[in-house]
């Protein structure tokens, strides 16, 4: 709230030290000793014995904090406290904090101006008094406390006292307990101003490791009383993330690489008949346009050098449509007098959606369903493969691209073990090679590759097309003849009498045979080596009476060349595998050619929209994963859960099911669901570039997160060996605004209900895996501390209840996520008003439920966190995107009081009716 000043007092000019203003600019200033990534100065304020300008008036006090920079000698408004009503001895709960990068020195002077807010509704205030101090005076003061006299603008009359107390979170405060009585909402409450030494959270707060992804922190400091009248201190921090642009650029680069590779594979199909060649040319034209568009977007993103996040005003810009809206970390650090200190993180981001594409025809959920339905009913009657087959083709291609380099790596490791003549290492390498090769062979057991090879053969120039069905297994032969046509389309594979169908079987089987030869050779080598050792031992124990045949064997093979014997076999395996991959890729590329040929341009437009939404969702996920990892590196149970079960990622959606937000919710649901194909791998950082690296294709992505060597070595062995770490994303949505009132009264909320039900089942699935795979001793302790089963049952009941604006769903889902060490996201259209309301309500509820916040201070604490005017740099924009939260918002746990919702909904209906009447009258 911007409060207008009553009168034209120029108290700021009385404050400027004119003598120093003429000093030369090369004066040396004393820097404040500071800890990296921590605020360099924090203090809290309280006033005593304020004199009201009018007798018997109860003061509504606010303090404005300004900074005089010693070099420029300019007055800068920095922040304000909250408004404390009805007392002459106000105790301010909102403190003042200067982040580590702020230019402040011991010579910097802080000015405190106290105002009496006469009428908040009309934004008027009157000046009471001011005081000032140098930062060095506060740092060197006894007990680090300054008591300053407040004076009028002319510097004469004393109108009260203001106390400035230095804050060092986590340290013991010296001095006696200071009992301060404050009048809160008409009630007297004695508050003991003391703080014991809390446990350090240095193990959790690994901010130095987060420098690579977080920047421009905006900090706020609070002190709230507990139920036993002790102080707890809260530091709230909102930070931007450079991953907002880094991840989309990485992802677009991968899309370009993948699409160029696909285009090349289409060209590598060779000569095709005129019909298929024309289709291929048409597909390549559209695909080349798609690649060009992606390249242009990547070029534009590379030019972005300003802000590290995308504001809501830019959500409709085409060049930024891959970038998430308002991606921020909202962190609350709590120092309690008796309880263990804690960190609570929430990632806030605008709902992943294709705003530039628009929502006239709905979002991805509806568009994909419509596209699949139309393909089944129309386009696919002209081609050979069903949607299931094309999906299978993409899956097989994805498996090929993952397994082929893994097999080559394990084969090289096997040769390396052979060169070292290490039997144990050889066995281990062979086991890994066998596992991956068996998966590779199994990927081609499906009949799809064989039938696709035949289809490609007949699509060559001069191919003879016939329509008899290809030979199938006995199950397919016994199918009734009156099956629907769409179920038998895949039987209409072209057949060519000259085509050798067994050739593929021979090529495919050669991979397995090559592996068997390697296994047999390794077994023989190890067996011979063990016999030599036994024979050597026997010759020593029997005084040289060794069997002649064994002596001859040892003499003829003093040490076998394992590498020389295995190397040609490995080359053969790679050659066989290369031939299989070449044939399979060609045939499956032909399957995809048919899909693209008969679904252009809708298929590519849906791919573009899905890429946009996924990019926004992925940027937030990577940011959340890195923050969660760094803050939990010293928690062995978390690390075990990470590689044993995976991480739950819970998205709290606040979108309505009305108008364009229906399309946003449909986009968001698909984008979050697509995050299941993302896995993480933690590696050791080899250079100073520790930003995450993205690899993979659209069907599967791996995010490589780099850690410093010292940190990496402390991780569990499974993580250090490169085990993929999986995530389980879930979305629960509850619309809370006036548009949702219209949707519930006159529209349809089935989309929200189905999304919540589907994702509840996913949470249940994760909980079952968690209880099954985590160690029994941990599970028993975990169940004692958490009633997760009860919370899940309660969540299920609330979802089934279909209650209007049931925000209990959000509260239960968030609680379950925190208890399962998950990552929390809160989203609305732009991550501003609704998101800030939800986050601040959640934070105050946590303080109340987990840290014993005094019940009489819940509403006041909520008002402090939601106030715009308490934020730093008040001379800048008050938009929430700059880090400010909203003021004067509803404070009910249910966001909006029920009575207000009923009134507002009726008023909206009346407004609509009147608007319609005026419109009709105008055109009559």
């Amino acid at each position: 709230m911007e409060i207008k000043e009553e009168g034209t007092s120029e108290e700021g000019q009385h404050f400027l030290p004119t003598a120093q203003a003429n000093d030369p600019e090369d004066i040396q200033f004393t820097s404040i000793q500071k800890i990296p990534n921590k605020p360099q100065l924090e203090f809290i304020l309280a006033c005593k014995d304020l004199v009201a300008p009018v007798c018997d008036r109860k003061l509504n006090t606010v303090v404005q904090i300004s900074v005089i920079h010693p070099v420029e000698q300019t007055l800068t408004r920095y922040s304000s406290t909250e408004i404390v009503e009805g007392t002459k001895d106000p105790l301010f709960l909102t403190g003042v904090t200067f982040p580590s990068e702020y230019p402040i020195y011991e010579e910097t002077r802080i000015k405190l101006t106290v105002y009496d807010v006469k009428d908040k509704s009309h934004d008027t205030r009157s000046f009471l008094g001011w005081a000032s101090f140098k930062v060095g005076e506060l740092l060197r003061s006894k007990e680090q406390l300054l008591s300053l006299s407040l004076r009028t603008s002319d510097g004469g009359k004393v109108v009260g006292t203001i106390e400035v107390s230095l804050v060092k979170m986590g340290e013991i405060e010296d001095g006696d307990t200071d009992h301060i009585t404050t009048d809160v909402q008409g009630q007297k409450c004695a508050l003991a101003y003391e703080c014991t030494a809390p446990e350090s959270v240095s193990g959790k707060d690994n901010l130095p490791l987060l420098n690579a992804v977080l920047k421009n922190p905006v900090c706020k400091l609070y002190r709230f009383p507990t139920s036993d009248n002790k102080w707890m201190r809260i530091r709230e921090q909102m930070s931007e993330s450079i991953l907002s642009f880094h991840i989309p650029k990485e992802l677009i680069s991968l899309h370009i690489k993948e699409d160029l590779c696909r285009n090349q594979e289409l060209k590598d199909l060779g000569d095709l008949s005129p019909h298929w060649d024309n289709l291929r040319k048409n597909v390549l034209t559209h695909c080349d346009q798609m690649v060009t568009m992606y390249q242009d977007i990547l070029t534009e993103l590379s030019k972005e050098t300003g802000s590290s996040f995308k504001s809501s005003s830019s959500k409709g810009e085409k060049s930024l449509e891959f970038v998430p809206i308002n991606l921020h970390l909202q962190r609350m650090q709590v120092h309690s007098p008796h309880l263990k200190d804690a960190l609570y993180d929430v990632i806030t981001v605008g709902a992943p959606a294709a705003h530039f594409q628009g929502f006239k025809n709905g979002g991805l959920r509806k568009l994909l369903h419509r596209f699949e339905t139309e393909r089944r009913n129309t386009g696919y009657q002209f081609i050979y493969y069903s949607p299931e087959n094309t999906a299978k083709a993409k899956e097989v291609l994805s498996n090929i691209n993952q397994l082929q380099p893994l097999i080559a790596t394990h084969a090289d490791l096997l040769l390396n073990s052979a060169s070292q003549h290490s039997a144990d290492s050889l066995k281990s390498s062979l086991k890994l090679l066998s596992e991956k090769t068996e998966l590779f062979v199994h990927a081609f057991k499906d009949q799809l590759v064989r039938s696709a090879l035949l289809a490609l053969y007949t699509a060559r120039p001069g191919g003879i097309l016939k329509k008899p069905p290809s030979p199938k297994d006995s199950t397919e032969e016994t199918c009734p003849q009156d099956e629907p046509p769409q179920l038998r389309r895949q039987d209409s594979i072209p057949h060519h009498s000259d085509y050798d169908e067994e050739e593929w079987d021979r090529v495919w089987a050669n991979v397995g045979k090559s592996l068997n030869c390697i296994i047999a050779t390794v077994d023989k080598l190890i067996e011979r080596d063990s016999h030599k050792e036994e024979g050597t031992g026997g010759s020593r124990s029997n005084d040289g009476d060794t069997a002649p045949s064994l002596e001859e064997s040892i003499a003829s093979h003093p040490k076998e060349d394992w590498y020389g014997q295995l190397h040609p076999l490995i080359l053969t395996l790679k050659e066989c595998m290369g031939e299989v991959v070449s044939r399979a890729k060609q045939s499956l590329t032909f399957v995809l050619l048919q899909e693209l040929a008969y679904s252009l341009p809708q298929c590519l437009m849906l791919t573009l929209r899905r890429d946009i939404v996924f990019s926004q969702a992925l940027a937030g996920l990577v940011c959340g994963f890195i923050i969660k990892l760094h803050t939990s590196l010293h928690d062995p149970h978390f690390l075990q859960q990470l590689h044993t079960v995976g991480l739950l990622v819970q998205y709290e959606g606040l979108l309505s099911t009305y108008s364009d937000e229906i399309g946003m919710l449909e986009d968001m649901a698909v984008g979050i669901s697509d995050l299941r194909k993302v896995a993480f791998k933690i590696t050791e950082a080899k250079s100073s570039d520790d930003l995450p690296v993205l690899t993979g294709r659209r069907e599967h992505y791996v995010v490589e997160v780099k850690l410093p060597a010292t940190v990496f070595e402390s991780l569990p062995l499974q993580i250090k060996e490169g085990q993929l770490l999986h995530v389980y994303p879930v979305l629960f949505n509850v619309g809370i605004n006036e548009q949702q009132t219209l949707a519930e009264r006159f529209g349809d909320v089935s989309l929200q209900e189905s999304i919540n039900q589907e994702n509840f089942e996913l949470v249940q699935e994760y909980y079952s895996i968690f209880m099954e795979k985590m160690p029994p001793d941990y599970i028993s302790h975990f169940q004692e501390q958490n009633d997760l089963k009860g919370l899940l049952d309660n969540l299920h009941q609330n979802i089934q209840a279909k209650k209007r604006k049931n925000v209990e769903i959000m509260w239960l889902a968030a609680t379950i996520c925190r208890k399962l060490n998950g990552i929390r996201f809160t989203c609305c259209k732009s991550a501003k008003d609704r998101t800030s309301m939800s986050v601040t309500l959640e934070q105050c509820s946590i303080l109340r439920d987990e840290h014993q916040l005094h019940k009489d201070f819940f509403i006041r604490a909520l008002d402090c966190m939601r106030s715009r005017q308490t934020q730093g740099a008040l001379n800048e924009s008050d938009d929430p995107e700059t880090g400010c939260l909203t003021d004067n918002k509803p404070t009910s746990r249910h966001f909006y009081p029920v009575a207000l919702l009923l009134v507002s909904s009726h008023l909206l209906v009346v407004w609509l009716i009147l608007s319609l009447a005026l419109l009709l009258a105008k055109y009559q």
Side-chain angles (χ1 to χ4, degrees), residues 30 45 78 157 249-250 260 266 363 401 414 422 552 565 624 639 668 718 740 743 763 804 843 856 877 901:
T30 307
L45 302 170
Y78 184 73
K157 183 180 178 183
K249 288 190 286 188
E250 287 269 309
L260 287 174
L266 288 173
N401 290 312
L414 182 72
S422 171
E552 294 172 1
Q565 296 188 50
L639 295 175
M668 184 181 182
Q718 295 89 336
Q740 185 64 21
V763 173
R804 290 181 178 178
Q843 290 179 166
D856 294 334
S877 170
L901 289 177

Side-chain angles (χ1 to χ4, degrees), residues 251 255 294 322 607-615 698:
L251 189 63
H255 290 332
Y294 278 39
F322 282 81
T607 300
L608 170 63
R609 189 182 190 102
R610 200 164 188 171
D611 288 347
I612 291 169
V613 174
F614 179 75
S615 173
R698 283 185 176 90

